[in-house]
Amino acid sequence: MFNSPYQRLRASLRQLFGSSIYGALLLVVLGGLVVPAIFGSYLLVGVHERQSARTTLNEALQRNADILALGMQESLWNMNAESAHSLVESVMRDQAVLLVTVLGLGDAQFIRLQAPQRPVGNLYRAERDIIVRGERIGHVVVEMDDARSQQELREKQMSYLFVLGAQLAVSMALIVLFLNRRLLRPLRRLMRFSDRLSHGDFDTPLVSHSNDELGRLTAQLEQMRAAIGQLFEDVGQREERFRTIVTQVPGAVFRYRPDGAIDFVSDAIEAICGYSARQFMSGTTHAWAALISPEERLAHRRAVRQAVQEVRPYALEYRIIDAFGIERWVAENGQPQACAQGVVWVDGIIADISQRKHHEMRIEALLTQQSAILDNVMFGVMFVRHRRIVSVNRRCEELFGYGHAEMTGKSTAIVFMTSFDFEEAGERQYPVLANGVDFSEERQYRRRDGSLLWALVSGSALDPLHPNEGSIWVYADITARKEAEEKLRLSGSRRAWHHRHRQSRLYADHGL
């Protein structure tokens, strides 16, 4: 069918170009890069010629210096300036020579000739001593520049660049022509298809128009489109259920690999630390560790590492510095998940507890300040939370007969006479505090040794909406007053009895 080798070669190339994208690229490379490479090799001539020009200039410089050093021997010895001047002028005819200086004995200037002003390139300098019969009688300095050789070299390079530019233009035209037909058009179609997929368009089909590698890839992508569409539908339903659950959790849900990548963190993390969930999921656990306060970073790392090694849950409270430079308190609860190969990941929740911590620290600061004051007052003062004693002043411990810090942490039932009195007092006191009203009464209490005392007690809630969260109780010892009142009551009773007895005897004496 093919009569000549040229026709057979042409048919083979056409088949290679039409059925294989590798063959098409091979032809593009051969047609677009090999030919330009041949012409581009001429650029090396510029490098070679630059080196050659430098070598030639240096040889001329050394030669001129040698000529002047030899030619000046007789003229300088005889102080024949006219002969020396002729020799120097002959050297100055070279346009590359800028300056010739001949120095005599004592470095006295003998001759100095300088070329007229002109563009100067790189300067080269050569020096020779003028020696006659083994004695130095003078010195020759020759300066030359490469401005002229550089100009000639630039002209040649411009010619080479022009030829290369024309060659590259032809080569680029060939490359664009081949690539646009066999590669760029199919790739653009695949890119448009990829853009549609990235925007969630799984309904538009992808049609193949060739049987080469890109055509087969197109068919596979069409199958992938259908599979991804179904997969995304299933994932969307699961993700919706998952997000519904996560948004109801107070705090940020997370999963990370120990000392590795952060697989997931919910969007609530941004409200806690100011950085988005996407920023954390693109990094490792070191990104979160960098936010932890430097004073607590090492302790946090040790606690988490120990919990991971023991595969047990952990709960930590620590400070972080958020994206705005604000210090926050967070609570982290994590649960390492293990398999036969070891710990695979850690699941948990991070919550912002700054408000709670600030309240606690404010209360503790107030208590510290108040304790310094209350330790010196004459009344017993007790701070109570959930009917347990948080702190008392010194007078309160003396009042109830306890030593230093012995009452702290115990139930307030220790100061009541019976458990019934304890329960009955709570039912009466805390509803009054919840109304924002201070509670006050006179009541009998029990000391540590079992003895009883009378006290005037007054209570006030720190927050009337939550009276159990904190209240202050002040006790004033009124035992002496109560005993005095009792004595007065008993004395009055005796006087009344004696008065009635005298009246009875008086009536009896008069027969009444």
Side-chain angles (χ1 to χ4, degrees), residues 425-489:
E427 292 176 357
R428 289 190 302 106
Q429 294 169 350
Y430 283 90
V432 175
L433 299 181
N435 292 328
V437 180
D438 293 346
F439 181 86
S440 180
E441 70 173 352
E442 293 181 357
R443 190 183 189 92
Q444 210 167 15
Y445 290 95
R446 182 183 62 187
R447 295 188 179 93
R448 182 180 184 181
D449 58 6
S451 62
L452 302 179
L453 76 152
W454 278 93
L456 172 63
V457 58
S458 299
S460 177
L462 297 179
D463 182 3
L465 297 179
H466 305 90
N468 280 316
E469 295 297 327
S471 56
I472 302 294
W473 299 89
V474 179
Y475 299 87
D477 188 357
I478 59 172
T479 303
R481 195 195 77 191
K482 282 292 187 180
E483 290 176 351
E485 290 177 352
E486 181 66 19
K487 289 179 180 180
L488 289 175
R489 185 183 65 80

Side-chain angles (χ1 to χ4, degrees), residues 75-360:
S75 300
L76 188 59
W77 180 265
N78 298 322
M79 299 301 290
N80 188 350
E82 183 177 353
S83 174
H85 196 276
S86 299
L87 179 60
V88 172
E89 285 184 343
S90 65
V91 173
M92 292 292 294
R93 291 192 183 98
D94 188 348
Q95 296 184 2
V97 178
L98 291 179
L99 176 67
V100 174
T101 302
V102 179
L103 304 177
L105 292 175
D107 291 335
Q109 183 173 301
F110 182 63
I111 292 177
R112 175 183 174 87
L113 286 181
Q114 185 172 0
Q117 294 291 333
R118 64 172 185 267
V120 178
N122 297 317
L123 292 177
Y124 297 86
R125 180 188 180 99
E127 300 183 15
R128 295 288 190 276
D129 288 334
I130 302 173
I131 301 174
V132 175
R133 300 174 185 175
E135 295 184 7
R136 180 182 178 278
I137 64 171
H139 191 73
V140 174
V141 178
V142 182
E143 292 184 1
M144 299 179 66
D145 75 327
D146 61 352
R148 183 177 179 184
S149 59
Q150 290 292 336
Q151 182 178 359
E152 294 176 353
L153 184 60
R154 284 194 295 270
E155 291 175 356
K156 292 179 180 179
Q157 288 178 340
M158 290 300 295
S159 299
Y160 293 147
L161 289 175
F162 177 77
V163 174
L164 179 62
Q167 175 266 327
L168 287 177
V170 175
S171 299
M172 289 303 297
L174 292 174
I175 293 174
V176 170
L177 178 63
F178 287 133
L179 290 181
N180 187 60
R181 181 176 179 182
R182 295 297 301 144
L183 187 61
L184 296 182
R185 287 180 183 176
L187 286 179
R188 289 193 188 102
R189 187 166 62 251
L190 292 179
M191 290 175 63
R192 289 193 294 270
F193 172 74
S194 176
D195 289 339
R196 291 197 299 270
L197 288 183
S198 65
H199 289 84
D201 181 7
F202 301 107
D203 300 326
T204 305
L206 181 63
V207 181
S208 175
H209 298 286
S210 61
N211 295 322
D212 59 8
E213 287 88 342
L214 284 178
R216 292 191 290 272
L217 177 61
T218 300
Q220 293 175 359
L221 289 177
E222 171 59 20
Q223 297 176 2
M224 184 184 69
R225 177 193 64 82
I228 291 179
Q230 182 62 40
L231 179 62
F232 263 74
E233 185 177 352
D234 296 340
V235 170
Q237 294 175 357
R238 295 181 182 181
E239 184 178 359
E240 183 62 28
R241 290 195 296 268
F242 174 74
R243 287 189 176 278
T244 301
I245 296 173
V246 168
T247 54
Q248 303 303 317
V249 176
V253 179
F254 64 81
R255 169 176 288 184
Y256 67 83
R257 311 284 172 171
D259 290 326
I262 299 177
D263 294 337
F264 172 79
V265 63
S266 62
D267 293 336
I269 194 68
E270 188 168 2
I272 296 176
C273 67
Y275 296 98
S276 66
R278 179 176 298 180
Q279 290 176 284
F280 283 109
M281 287 189 287
S282 63
T284 65
T285 54
H286 299 294
W288 177 258
L291 301 181
I292 301 176
S293 175
E295 296 84 0
E296 303 181 24
R297 192 174 299 162
L298 182 60
H300 173 271
R301 181 176 178 81
R302 288 176 177 173
V304 173
R305 180 180 294 175
Q306 184 175 359
V308 169
Q309 291 175 350
E310 299 174 2
V311 194
R312 59 171 176 81
Y314 65 88
L316 302 172
E317 293 184 358
Y318 53 90
R319 294 168 295 165
I320 65 170
I321 307 298
D322 67 10
F324 309 102
I326 301 174
E327 184 179 85
R328 293 176 178 269
W329 278 92
V330 297
E332 178 181 343
N333 294 272
Q335 174 63 65
Q337 305 295 332
C339 65
Q341 291 74 25
V343 176
V344 179
W345 66 77
V346 178
D347 292 330
I349 299 175
I350 292 177
D352 187 349
I353 59 170
S354 301
Q355 186 175 9
R356 192 197 80 192
K357 277 291 185 179
H358 291 161
H359 288 332
E360 291 177 357

